[in-house]
């Protein structure tokens, strides 16, 4: 049903985008709430990095309709009936850049690394332009594994940036903007992408700058003039937002989890926003096993060692300080626990997310997936080096590792449900909402391909104007 609804949206937009005046002049501008300082496939779980990777990188396989595979890198691929041996044959002429081809020897090295990460591999061999991968048993999920952007072929371009096999490369990167350039220019598309850090409501850029994509910022903060000149549609995203509770003291963490009202916190943090859809765990609806409703809470003050301590809430917005102060005061009256707000520039906060120890106890995080897969919503709590907390759970981490290699879809779902419940029982993250919003896209776009799943993360290189 989820994919059917999505395809209806794409068909509708295809009709809407048949004509319209140009807005970008070959330059695609996008607002992001925080710009990363590293662009690497291994950081694909970061929202902003993933947007970039969709332009610069290309996975070995794609699975855009939830069932059938396609590839822009392979001539052909096959597996035996037991799903224990796979063969992947590389297209000729692939290049990272004009100077850097993607050779069959590099392909072999990449597949050795990916297969080793997947596990239980018996052999990886090069035969002509094909790489054959053998496992010790049946592994039905290996092709899905190859669709993930963290497993896409890459080439280092300095310490913090990688080149992929996508249509764009990183031309420049700074704290204020990131510029991507198309490797081979065309006359009827976007030849450059400029990513700007969003500074909040009322921010204006120079007259020569046109934003094409406002969909990464709160919907209420998109200017009305923009809404009038763009085509729009409503969609429920595969995005969940939660409050990460980075507190080692289990009882203090338990108190915070059970006594923070999700509705009150999201209203305070996003005072002008709407489109909140309740979810019981961090799995958003559309992912197998997700549930609507609210988290199970029973607000009691548990004995803890944090008496008199102020909990630090990280905040990157400037329009919510009064609302957060009121929320903090109400929480103190209910629990006797102080919550202080520490403001960060968005880029500074992004840089601290994966550095431990964190200088804050509480912060909001969004987890978003292009496809309805479970691991995206657990990775930041259970897999180093992506941990967003200064603590972990060996029990849940073991379950997560088992889920990643589970071949049966029902078993994978059952493990995922147990992990979701475990995150709640351990009070790691309090689910706040799933986002429902109106998306806006330039009316100049002449083609929207059904099944492209461009809603949250457009592939700008495929658009024609």
């Amino acid at each position: 049903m989820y994919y059917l609804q999505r395809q209806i949206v794409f068909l509708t937009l295809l009709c809407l985008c048949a004509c319209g005046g140009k807005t970008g002049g070959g330059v695609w501008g996008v607002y992001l709430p925080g710009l990363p300082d590293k662009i690497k496939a291994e950081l694909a779980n970061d929202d902003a990095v993933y947007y970039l990777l969709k332009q610069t990188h290309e996975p070995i396989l794609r699975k855009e309709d939830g069932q059938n595979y396609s590839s822009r890198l392979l001539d052909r691929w096959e597996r035996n009936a037991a799903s224990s041996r796979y063969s992947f044959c590389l297209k000729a002429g692939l290049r990272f850049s004009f100077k850097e081809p993607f050779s069959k020897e590099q392909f072999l090295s990449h597949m050795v690394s990916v297969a080793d990460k997947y596990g239980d591999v018996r052999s990886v061999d090069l035969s002509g332009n094909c790489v054959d991968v053998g496992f010790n048993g049946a592994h039905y999920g290996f092709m899905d594994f190859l669709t993930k952007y963290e497993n896409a072929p890459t080439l280092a371009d300095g310490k913090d940036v990688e080149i992929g096999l996508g249509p764009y490369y990183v031309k420049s990167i700074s704290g204020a903007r990131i510029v991507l350039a198309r490797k081979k220019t065309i006359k009827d598309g976007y030849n450059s992408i400029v990513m700007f850090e969003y500074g909040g409501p009322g921010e204006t850029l120079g007259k020569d700058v046109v934003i094409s994509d406002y969909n990464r910022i709160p919907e209420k903060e998109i200017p009305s003039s923009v809404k009038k000149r763009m085509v729009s549609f409503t969609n429920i995203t595969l995005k969940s937002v939660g409050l990460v509770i980075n507190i080692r003291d289990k009882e203090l963490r338990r108190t915070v989890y059970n006594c923070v009202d999700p509705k009150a916190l999201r209203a305070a943090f996003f005072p002008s926003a709407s489109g909140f859809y309740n979810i019981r765990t961090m799995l958003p609806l559309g992912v197998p096993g997700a549930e609507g409703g609210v988290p199970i809470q029973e607000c009691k003050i548990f004995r803890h060692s944090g008496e008199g301590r102020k909990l630090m809430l990280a905040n990157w917005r400037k329009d919510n300080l009064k609302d957060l102060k009121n929320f903090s005061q109400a929480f103190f009256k209910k629990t006797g626990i102080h919550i202080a707000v520490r403001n960060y520039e968005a880029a500074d906060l992004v840089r601290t997310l994966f550095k431990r120890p964190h200088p804050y106890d509480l912060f909001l995080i969004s987890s978003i997936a292009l496809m309805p897969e479970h691991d995206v919503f657990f990775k930041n709590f259970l897999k180093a080096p992506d941990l967003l907390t200064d603590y972990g759970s060996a029990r849940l981490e073991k379950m997560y590792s088992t889920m990643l290699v589970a071949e049966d879809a029902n078993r994978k779902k059952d493990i995922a449900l147990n992990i979701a419940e475990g995150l709640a029982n351990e009070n790691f993250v309090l689910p706040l909402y799933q986002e429902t919003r109106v998306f806006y896209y330039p009316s100049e776009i002449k083609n929207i391909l059904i099944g492209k799943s461009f809603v949250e993360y457009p592939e700008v290189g495929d658009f024609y104007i």
Side-chain angles (χ1 to χ4, degrees):
M1 177 61 73
Y2 177 81
Y3 289 107
L4 177 60
Q5 291 172 340
R6 220 175 171 98
Q7 286 186 352
I8 291 171
V9 168
F10 296 139
L11 279 168
T12 302
L13 191 57
L14 182 63
C15 297
L16 290 171
C17 290
C19 60
K22 289 195 174 186
T23 62
V27 177
W28 179 274
V30 57
Y31 266 143
L32 293 173
L35 295 184
D37 56 358
K38 296 181 180 180
I39 303 171
K40 296 186 174 184
E42 66 185 28
L43 302 175
N45 200 50
D46 177 84
D47 188 56
V49 175
Y50 192 78
Y51 194 109
L52 281 152
L53 294 178
K54 291 289 290 184
Q55 325 308 325
T56 59
H57 286 54
E58 181 64 33
I60 300 294
L61 291 170
R62 290 169 171 253
K63 193 178 181 182
E64 294 163 344
D65 59 2
Q67 295 181 343
N68 299 314
Y69 295 97
S70 64
S71 179
R72 297 182 179 184
L73 305 184
L74 304 177
D75 269 332
R76 64 186 188 278
W77 58 94
E78 59 186 26
R79 59 182 171 185
N80 64 6
S83 292
S84 62
R85 190 161 189 86
Y86 294 79
S87 181
F88 305 99
C89 300
L90 193 66
K91 286 183 177 180
L94 296 175
R95 311 186 74 85
F96 287 111
S97 67
F98 179 75
K99 296 180 180 179
E100 297 285 352
F102 182 48
S103 67
K104 59 184 181 181
E105 290 77 18
Q106 286 173 306
F107 183 42
L108 172 64
S109 176
H110 177 74
M111 292 302 291
V112 167
S113 175
V114 172
D116 184 62
K117 184 164 54 170
Y118 188 80
D120 198 35
V121 63
R122 185 176 72 248
S123 62
V124 184
D125 304 302
L126 181 65
S127 176
N129 68 327
C130 301
V131 171
D132 300 322
V133 181
F135 293 99
N136 292 315
H139 287 283
Y140 306 103
F142 186 57
M143 290 176 66
D144 278 353
F145 197 64
L146 295 178
T147 67
K148 299 180 183 299
Y149 272 78
E150 54 261 45
N151 298 324
T154 64
L155 183 69
D157 184 20
K159 185 178 72 171
D160 297 327
V161 175
E162 291 175 341
I163 307 172
L165 293 170
Y168 297 90
Y169 70 96
V170 180
K171 185 176 182 180
S172 64
I173 180 170
S174 68
R177 67 177 62 186
I178 296 174
V179 179
L180 309 183
R182 194 186 282 268
K183 295 174 184 176
K184 186 177 181 180
T185 60
I186 61 176
K187 63 180 181 180
D188 52 357
Y190 297 98
N191 287 315
S192 61
I193 301 172
V194 185
M195 316 185 103
F196 300 93
E197 182 164 291
Y198 179 60
E203 181 183 64
T204 57
L205 296 170
K207 291 183 178 180
D208 60 330
V209 176
V210 176
I211 299 295
S212 304
D213 188 352
Y214 288 84
N215 295 317
R216 316 308 303 165
I217 69 175
E219 183 187 335
K220 291 283 186 179
E221 295 171 18
I222 301 176
S224 57
S225 59
V226 170
K227 295 179 180 180
K228 290 178 181 177
R229 64 178 168 82
M230 288 192 173
V231 294
S232 64
F233 56 93
T234 301
N235 196 39
I236 299 177
T237 67
L238 284 178
K239 176 180 180 180
S240 62
V241 176
L243 175 70
V244 177
I245 307 174
N246 183 40
I247 302 171
R248 287 186 178 274
D249 186 301
K250 292 184 178 180
E251 298 308 313
L252 177 55
R253 192 166 75 234
R254 189 178 174 193
T255 299
V256 172
Y257 181 96
N258 282 278
C259 295
V260 166
D261 179 357
K263 184 177 180 180
L265 177 57
R266 68 198 189 194
F269 207 95
F270 303 104
S272 60
S274 59
F276 300 123
Y277 192 93
N278 291 329
I279 47 175
R280 202 174 76 79
T281 70
M282 281 297 287
L283 296 177
L285 297 183
V287 176
E291 298 179 57
V294 296
I296 297 174
Q297 294 175 292
E298 184 181 359
C299 184
K300 293 194 294 188
I301 312 304
F302 299 96
R303 249 187 207 284
H304 56 79
S305 60
E307 199 70 38
R309 172 187 164 193
K310 283 188 177 180
L311 300 180
M312 200 62 64
L313 171 66
N315 176 46
W316 66 89
R317 299 176 62 86
K318 298 178 177 65
D319 63 331
N320 61 0
L321 298 180
K322 180 180 178 181
D323 298 271
L324 285 178
K325 181 179 179 180
N326 292 336
F327 170 83
S328 177
Q329 290 174 344
F331 188 75
F332 177 74
K333 288 180 181 179
K334 182 164 63 171
T335 65
I337 298 172
H338 293 272
I339 294 179
V341 177
R342 176 181 292 175
N343 257 58
Y344 289 83
E345 293 297 324
D348 293 335
L349 183 58
V350 168
R351 280 190 282 270
T352 69
L353 286 180
F354 299 106
K355 294 180 181 178
R356 295 183 296 278
H358 294 84
Y360 37 76
D361 306 291
L362 307 168
F363 59 99
L364 271 65
I365 188 70
S366 64
S367 300
I368 187 165
L370 192 64
M371 301 294 287
E373 299 168 338
H374 297 99
D375 57 304
V376 171
F377 304 97
F378 302 144
K379 184 178 181 182
N380 289 150
F381 307 101
L382 301 173
K383 184 179 179 181
D386 300 321
L387 293 178
L388 292 174
T389 58
D390 297 332
Y391 58 88
S393 167
R395 181 181 67 89
L396 293 179
E397 185 177 345
K398 184 177 180 180
M399 291 170 62
Y400 176 75
S401 297
T402 303
M403 184 199 74
L404 288 180
V405 297
E407 303 291 347
D408 180 75
N410 287 327
R411 183 163 186 265
K412 187 183 287 283
K413 184 186 77 170
D414 291 341
I415 297 172
L417 288 175
N418 288 331
I419 295 174
E421 293 292 343
L423 289 175
N425 294 335
E426 294 282 352
N427 312 129
F428 280 21
V429 56
L430 175 66
L432 298 180
Y433 66 91
Q434 178 175 357
E435 186 180 54
T436 302
R437 67 174 293 160
V438 178
F439 286 82
Y440 296 88
Y441 275 90
S443 58
E444 67 186 23
I445 300 172
K446 295 178 180 177
N447 68 311
I448 296 295
L449 299 181
I450 298 171
K452 290 292 294 180
S453 298
F454 79 97
V455 178
E456 294 88 357
Y457 301 96
E459 292 185 53
V460 180
D462 288 348
F463 289 155
Y464 289 97
I465 57 177

